[in-house]
Amino acid sequence: MARNKRRGRDSVAEAVVETVAGGVAELVPDPERARAWTLLIDGAPQSHVDLDEPARLGFAYQRRLGHVADLAAPPGRPLQVVHLGGGAFTLARYVAATRPRSTQQIVELDAPLVQLVRRELPLDPAARIRVRSADARAGLGKVPDGWADLVIADVFSGARTPAHLTSTEFLADVRRVLKPGGHYAANLADGPPLAHLRGQVATAAAVFPELALAADPTVLRGRRFGNAVLLASDVPLPVAELTRRVATDPHPGRVEHGRGLTDFTGGAVPITDASAKDSPVPPPSVFH
């Protein structure tokens, strides 16, 4: 294992490499920011964390999830958030920084990864963040009815979302956990012909009446593999403001909703536990 060194005038930071349950984890220092790191699992980038500026989100999909958190309630109001998938706890740190006194639960299956992140990228002791090492769906099942303002799903195993987190039964439990008016946001990954992404939109539409999808336009057109953030709720979504924020990001994206999202779904049918499959394997070129 390579250990990081404290950065100073005459020192540099080294990557931390450690085997965890999900593969080989690497914490790679950001050459431009003194206490910022990228987490990779088996070479696939998972999270970017800036310990000095936790409200700074480095990845495009994380910024889109950050917009969802920003719009989930009036500015500054504490939230109760469930994070399915921990990574480097980036979004939990973001919510804690932007909405002090928020109460958050992280459910992360990979216990050695949790230990690595806690040791090398410690959480603010004052943040109300509880981390549980458990399967995401099993952990969700232990959250009380109507507890959460926001549920964020960002779960990947070997760069794929596990099948049991893609079904109507899973989303029904998400809706059970949400307060009335709460929001669900999921980081999804797909490429041409976008069958997985279309199926996930159809699945969410079977459970939630209000949906929006944010992604790079080339991903939505099926021209390349990439991430998309699916947003769902039982109340109308802040689509206009979300669209504005996503369009003005450093890597501008597009938001589909309403008729445009229905057309995008293209007749895909909801996924159930009986028909669920893992999300597609990303092509090797995605990470190079």
Side-chain angles (χ1 to χ4, degrees), residues 25-273:
E26 299 174 77
L27 287 172
V28 179
D30 187 329
E32 298 181 357
R33 306 187 72 85
R35 295 212 307 149
W37 302 81
T38 298
L39 169 66
L40 300 94
I41 305 291
D42 288 341
Q46 301 288 325
S47 304
H48 183 273
V49 171
D50 189 331
L51 296 179
D52 290 331
E53 294 186 51
R56 180 180 181 273
L57 299 176
F59 291 173
Y61 88 85
Q62 290 181 332
R63 283 194 295 274
R64 289 165 190 153
L65 290 171
H67 296 326
V68 171
D70 291 343
L71 298 174
R77 198 192 87 185
L79 294 177
Q80 294 185 176
V81 186
V82 176
H83 301 265
L84 302 178
F89 313 156
T90 303
L91 268 297
R93 299 174 200 266
Y94 177 85
V95 171
T98 58
R99 295 181 178 272
R101 303 183 310 283
S102 292
T103 303
Q104 303 184 75
Q105 299 184 41
I106 297 173
V107 184
E108 170 57 57
L109 178 62
D110 195 329
L113 176 62
V114 169
Q115 294 170 2
L116 171 65
V117 173
R118 279 188 176 279
R119 184 184 72 237
E120 301 294 335
L121 308 175
L123 290 164
D124 181 350
R128 300 176 181 178
I129 301 173
R130 176 186 178 188
V131 185
R132 177 185 299 155
S133 294
D135 171 79
R137 188 158 165 179
L140 181 70
K142 295 182 179 179
V143 179
D145 294 3
W147 183 85
D149 297 292
L150 175 62
V151 174
I152 297 176
D154 186 11
V155 184
F156 289 87
S157 176
R160 305 175 73 183
T161 301
H164 69 297
L165 304 180
T166 67
S167 66
T168 53
E169 292 91 338
F170 164 67
L171 288 182
D173 208 30
V174 170
R175 187 161 183 182
R176 174 191 65 79
V177 164
L178 287 172
K179 297 176 182 178
H183 293 74
Y184 169 68
N187 177 32
L188 307 173
D190 199 9
L194 298 180
H196 173 70
L197 187 55
R198 298 183 205 278
Q200 286 304 285
V201 175
T203 303
V207 179
F208 292 96
E210 302 290 337
L211 303 177
L213 185 69
D216 186 292
T218 59
V219 173
L220 292 175
R221 288 196 291 266
R223 294 184 179 178
R224 70 171 180 86
F225 195 98
N227 295 84
V229 169
L230 176 63
L231 176 61
S233 182
D234 62 356
V235 298
L237 297 167
V239 171
E241 180 60 18
L242 179 66
T243 300
R244 185 191 69 79
R245 292 184 181 215
V246 170
T248 56
D249 275 339
H251 297 284
R254 193 174 87 215
V255 175
E256 290 287 0
H257 64 98
R259 179 61 183 271
L261 188 54
T262 301
D263 291 344
F264 171 83
T265 306
V269 299
I271 306 300
T272 65
D273 279 343

